[in-house]
């Protein structure tokens, strides 16, 4: 199919950087070509085994104590044997993350949509959003705990406050990517403001919205774990402080491993969503 | 050989657009009723020091089933004028009337083809073509769309995305999108400016073929004098800003305008006259694409 003179019309004028906006330019990781042959798979697996095995062997060789750095085998063992103890805490963290993210992302999207429809509102709100984005919401957790106690509430609020502004700022950037020709097209056929929003602005903003949701979710995870470390007797963050205070390093690293997996999962979910619903831009 | 007006229009006009049906059987040629009236159109952008007078007292008429091109130096208000016809701009003073009714907003009987294809990249071609119907919350005429896609050589391309198509193919989809609304007036805003010369020529032939089929009234804004002559019954030259009608040229050539006709002396002389009318108004036009080869591209 000839693609030589495909117009660059969809490219927003004035963004200047010439970078396309989607999840694929967030990380060099996704730029890697797909794994091809069985040989490549074998090499990748061999390197992974070599790295993990190397760590294992050198830790044992130098007789590094378990309480400083446990070997991968001990971590794996702890992950399996203590998983039933960690699982409820994973559940608590997920509840906080999902609830806080839902509230934060919902409010963020709504605000972004409103603010871009009314430029004056944006001028009024912008400084506060900037403040929310730049202030680590963890700083508020002690205060929130004073007011709401050691339950879910302060953590959910902190997650919402951390993820919401990230979602909003990215979504607003997306909504502002106005292509006047596409809006004119809709208007020429009699589209209402609401129709223009849902049929032109929202789909155009979708790639940026997905980026915002992903960043917001990752910030939410950070904040949830951090808030759990500050106070309250449950959650993965609480496990980290507990295990480290009891010098149970294999269990500690097992929790770290679970957290890494959560983070990667968030990335993968939004990457796949982007591929499915926002690949038109690539 | 079909001269401009002597082919009775096929019943391609929608019955839902009453005035179009009424016009359908009207007399042919120069006697065709006036469809579009541009009456002392004036458009001012901005205010104070930033005040720009884009159009001033611009006036002309377009008869039904006519193809009229608007040419002129860059920034003369061509696009402003066309967008005003589409109801996308409000005139500062004056009026544009379609079949007697003042256009003061989007009009269901007007279709528009934009600069570059202006397809929605997140929609398949099918969904792009149905977009106006979706906006109007009505069912698409599947048969018509299928017919049009076949006519432009894109049958079976419906499920594809715009990025899979070349620029010329995309613009053909944009034309189908406009025609699927059965417009009684088709507006084209420098539709082929982004295409290479050969694709452009091909697209001009396509528009002529479609017009011979449907006799839809067309107003075309273009930078290319060759394109204007190939397609138009009349070429309207606008003056530099503020835009007003500098001169109107008749193009008394038979249709279809074959490459032989387009290579003829009459075309050459007409093109020279149009060019000198534009260049005479503004010598800096040499930088524009409008000053092309003196002959038709065919």
């Amino acid at each position: 199919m000839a693609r030589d003179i495909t117009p660059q019309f969809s490219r927003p004028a004035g963004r200047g950087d010439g970078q396309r906006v989607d999840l694929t330019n967030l990380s060099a990781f996704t730029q890697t070509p797909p794994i091809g042959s069985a040989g490549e798979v074998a090499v990748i697996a061999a390197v992974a085994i070599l790295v993990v095995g190397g760590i294992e062997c050198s830790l044992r060789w130098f007789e590094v104590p378990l309480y400083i750095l446990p070997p991968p085998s001990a971590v794996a063992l702890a992950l399996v044997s203590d998983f039933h103890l960690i699982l409820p805490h994973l559940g608590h963290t997920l509840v906080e993350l999902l609830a806080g993210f839902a509230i934060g992302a919902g409010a963020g999207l709504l605000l972004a949509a409103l603010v871009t429809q009314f430029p004056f509102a944006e001028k009024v709100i912008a400084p506060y959003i900037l403040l929310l984005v730049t202030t680590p919401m963890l700083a508020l957790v002690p205060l929130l705990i004073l007011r709401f106690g050691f339950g879910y509430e302060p953590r959910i609020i902190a997650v919402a406050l951390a993820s919401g502004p990230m979602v909003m700022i990215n979504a607003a950037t997306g909504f502002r990517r106005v292509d006047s020709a596409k809006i004119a097209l809709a208007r020429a056929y009699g589209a209402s403001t609401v129709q223009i929003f849902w049929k032109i602005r929202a789909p155009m903003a979708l790639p940026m919205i997905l980026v915002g949701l992903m960043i917001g979710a990752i910030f939410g995870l950070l904040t949830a774990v951090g808030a759990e470390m500050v106070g309250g007797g449950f959650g993965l963050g609480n496990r980290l402080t507990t295990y480290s205070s009891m010098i149970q390093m294999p269990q500690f690293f097992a929790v770290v491993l679970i957290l890494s997996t959560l983070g990667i999962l968030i990335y993968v979910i939004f990457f796949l969503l982007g591929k499915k619903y926002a690949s038109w831009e690539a | 050989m079909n001269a401009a007006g002597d082919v009775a229009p096929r019943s391609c006009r929608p019955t839902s657009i009453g005035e179009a049906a009424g016009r359908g059987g009207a007399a042919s040629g120069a006697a065709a009723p006036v469809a579009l009236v541009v009456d002392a159109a004036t458009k001012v952008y901005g205010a104070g020091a930033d005040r720009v007078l884009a159009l001033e007292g611009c006036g002309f008429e377009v008869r039904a089933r006519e193809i009229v091109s608007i040419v002129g130096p860059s920034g003369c208000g061509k696009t402003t004028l066309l967008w005003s016809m589409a109801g996308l701009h409000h005139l500062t003073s004056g009026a544009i009337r379609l079949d007697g009714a003042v256009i003061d907003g989007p009009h269901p009987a007007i279709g528009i083809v934009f600069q570059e294809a202006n397809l929605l990249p997140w929609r398949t071609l099918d969904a792009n073509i149905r977009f106006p119907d979706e906006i109007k919350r009505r069912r698409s005429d599947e048969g018509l769309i299928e017919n049009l896609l076949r006519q432009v050589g894109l049958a079976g391309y419906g499920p594809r995305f715009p990025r899979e198509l070349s620029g010329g193919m995309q613009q053909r989809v944009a034309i189908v999108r406009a025609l699927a609304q059965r417009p009684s007036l088709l507006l084209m805003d420098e539709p082929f400016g982004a295409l290479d010369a050969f694709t452009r020529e091909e697209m001009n032939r396509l528009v002529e073929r479609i017009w011979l089929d449907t006799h839809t009234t067309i107003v075309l804004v273009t930078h290319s004098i060759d394109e204007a002559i190939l397609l138009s019954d009349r070429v309207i030259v606008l003056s530099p800003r503020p835009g007003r009608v500098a001169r109107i040229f008749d193009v008394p050539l038979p249709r279809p305008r074959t490459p032989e006709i387009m290579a003829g002396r009459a075309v050459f002389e007409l093109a020279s006259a149009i060019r000198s009318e534009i260049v005479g108004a503004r010598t800096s036009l040499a930088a524009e694409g409008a000053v092309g080869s003196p002959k038709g591209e065919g």
Side-chain angles (χ1 to χ4, degrees):
Chain A
M1 193 93 334
R3 297 186 59 176
D4 47 338
I5 41 176
T6 304
Q8 297 296 298
F9 219 52
S10 58
R11 205 61 75 235
R15 281 189 53 79
D17 54 10
Q19 280 238 314
R20 65 166 187 264
V21 187
D22 64 18
L23 295 170
T24 56
N25 60 7
L26 272 188
S27 164
F29 178 73
T30 57
Q31 304 291 334
T32 49
I35 295 162
S37 63
E40 284 180 357
V41 174
V43 172
I44 289 166
V47 170
I49 290 167
L50 222 66
V51 168
V52 176
I55 293 171
E56 178 84 30
C57 290
S58 48
L59 286 177
R60 285 179 189 279
W61 179 262
F62 293 109
E63 294 180 339
V64 178
L66 208 63
Y67 59 84
I68 290 183
L69 204 58
S73 61
V75 174
L77 218 65
L79 186 60
V80 173
S81 64
D82 284 16
F83 192 70
H84 66 285
L85 296 175
I86 301 172
L87 189 62
H89 295 279
L90 172 62
H92 294 311
T93 303
L94 280 178
V95 167
E96 294 155 16
L97 178 61
L98 292 178
F101 179 66
I103 296 168
L109 283 177
L110 199 69
L111 270 178
L114 282 177
V115 139
T116 44
Q117 293 290 302
F118 306 103
F120 179 67
E122 186 163 15
K123 285 177 196 164
V124 176
I125 284 183
Y128 306 101
I129 296 301
L130 197 65
L131 198 74
L132 282 175
V133 167
T134 49
T135 310
M137 283 307 134
L138 275 177
L140 295 184
V141 170
L143 178 77
L144 290 170
I145 286 175
L146 271 184
R147 172 69 185 80
F148 295 102
F150 289 100
Y152 279 132
E153 296 92 335
R155 299 164 176 196
I156 291 176
I157 293 170
V159 170
L161 283 174
S163 56
M166 292 295 166
V167 175
M168 191 209 142
I169 231 164
N170 282 284
T173 307
F175 285 130
R176 268 195 300 265
R177 297 170 67 210
V178 182
D179 185 334
S180 54
K182 289 182 175 49
I183 289 174
L185 168 77
R187 278 187 48 214
Y189 291 109
S192 65
T193 309
V194 175
Q195 280 179 318
I196 288 174
F197 179 82
W198 286 112
K199 295 192 185 295
I200 305 286
R201 287 185 200 271
M204 275 198 88
L206 191 60
M208 277 307 289
I209 289 175
L210 285 174
V211 170
L213 288 175
M214 183 181 72
I215 297 173
I218 286 172
F219 264 72
L221 178 64
L222 294 181
T223 308
V225 173
E228 288 163 351
M229 293 171 84
V230 174
F234 58 92
L236 292 177
N238 168 264
R239 283 302 92 184
L240 288 178
T241 43
T242 309
Y243 286 136
S244 67
S245 67
M246 299 196 308
I247 325 184
Q248 290 184 316
M249 281 304 139
Q251 285 80 358
F252 178 90
F253 276 100
V255 173
V256 171
L257 215 59
I258 291 173
L259 288 173
S260 309
T261 311
L262 271 184
I264 291 171
L265 215 60
I266 290 172
Y267 179 84
V268 168
I269 286 171
F270 285 105
F271 177 74
L272 292 179
L273 281 175
K275 227 174 153 178
K276 184 143 198 274
Y277 295 106
S279 63
W280 50 268
E281 216 175 27
Chain B
M1 247 199 1
N2 304 318
D6 60 18
V7 174
R10 297 181 193 173
S11 59
C12 59
R13 298 269 156 62
T15 44
S16 59
I17 298 166
E19 64 271 26
R23 259 185 321 113
S28 63
V34 169
L36 186 78
V37 179
V38 177
D39 184 6
T42 300
K43 175 72 180 176
V44 181
Y45 289 109
D50 296 329
R51 192 172 178 274
V52 173
L53 191 55
L55 294 169
E56 190 181 38
C58 185
F60 57 88
E61 294 178 346
V62 178
R63 288 188 290 274
R65 303 194 297 283
E66 202 179 18
I67 303 182
V68 168
S69 290
I70 302 173
V71 298
S74 220
C76 71
K78 301 187 291 281
T79 290
T80 300
L81 184 59
L82 198 83
W83 281 43
S84 303
M85 292 176 189
L88 292 169
H89 284 327
H90 288 283
L91 292 171
T92 309
S93 71
I96 296 171
R97 285 187 293 274
L98 179 65
D99 297 313
V102 173
I103 293 171
D104 55 1
H107 193 291
I110 296 177
I112 182 162
V113 175
F114 291 86
Q115 290 175 24
E116 314 210 9
N118 203 10
L119 299 176
L120 306 177
W122 56 86
R123 285 168 170 257
T124 62
L125 301 190
D126 263 333
N128 263 291
I129 293 165
R130 281 164 182 71
F131 179 71
D133 289 319
E134 220 178 288
I135 293 290
K136 295 172 181 173
R137 293 198 174 85
R138 66 179 189 197
R139 293 190 55 182
S140 302
D141 186 336
E142 305 296 333
L144 175 65
I145 289 172
E146 205 175 299
N147 250 326
L148 287 168
L149 278 175
R150 197 170 324 114
Q151 211 174 343
V152 302
L154 289 175
Y157 279 79
R160 299 197 185 224
F161 282 89
R163 65 169 177 274
E164 300 175 65
L165 271 63
S166 69
M169 291 162 114
Q170 292 195 17
Q171 195 55 280
R172 278 185 262 166
V173 175
I175 291 172
V176 170
R177 174 173 63 190
L179 290 175
Q181 298 303 306
R182 298 175 184 274
S184 69
L185 171 64
L186 180 63
L187 304 174
M188 305 182 93
D189 182 10
E190 294 176 30
F192 312 129
L195 305 179
D196 63 87
F198 296 111
T199 312
R200 188 171 192 150
E201 169 85 11
E202 197 184 310
M203 298 298 293
N204 289 343
R205 299 281 168 205
L206 176 71
V207 171
E208 185 180 47
R209 214 161 60 232
I210 288 172
W211 182 85
L212 288 170
D213 245 27
T214 64
H215 287 273
T216 306
T217 313
I218 298 177
V219 177
L220 169 79
V221 163
T222 179
H223 273 307
S224 161
I225 293 173
D226 295 321
E227 183 170 281
I229 293 175
L230 196 160
L231 288 174
S232 316
D233 297 304
R234 287 185 300 145
V235 178
I236 296 175
V237 178
L238 291 193
S239 65
R241 202 157 60 203
R244 58 187 99 186
V245 176
R247 198 168 151 194
I248 298 178
F249 292 87
D250 280 311
V251 187
L253 298 170
R255 290 186 197 272
R257 291 177 182 164
T258 59
E260 294 73 46
I261 294 174
M262 288 306 292
R265 189 170 174 78
V267 170
F268 176 75
E269 280 170 3
L270 187 59
S272 307
I274 294 173
R275 189 163 294 121
S276 56
E277 182 67 42
I278 300 172
V279 177
R282 186 184 187 162
T283 45
S284 67
L285 191 69
E288 294 292 322
V291 183
S293 65
K295 286 201 306 176
E297 278 152 350

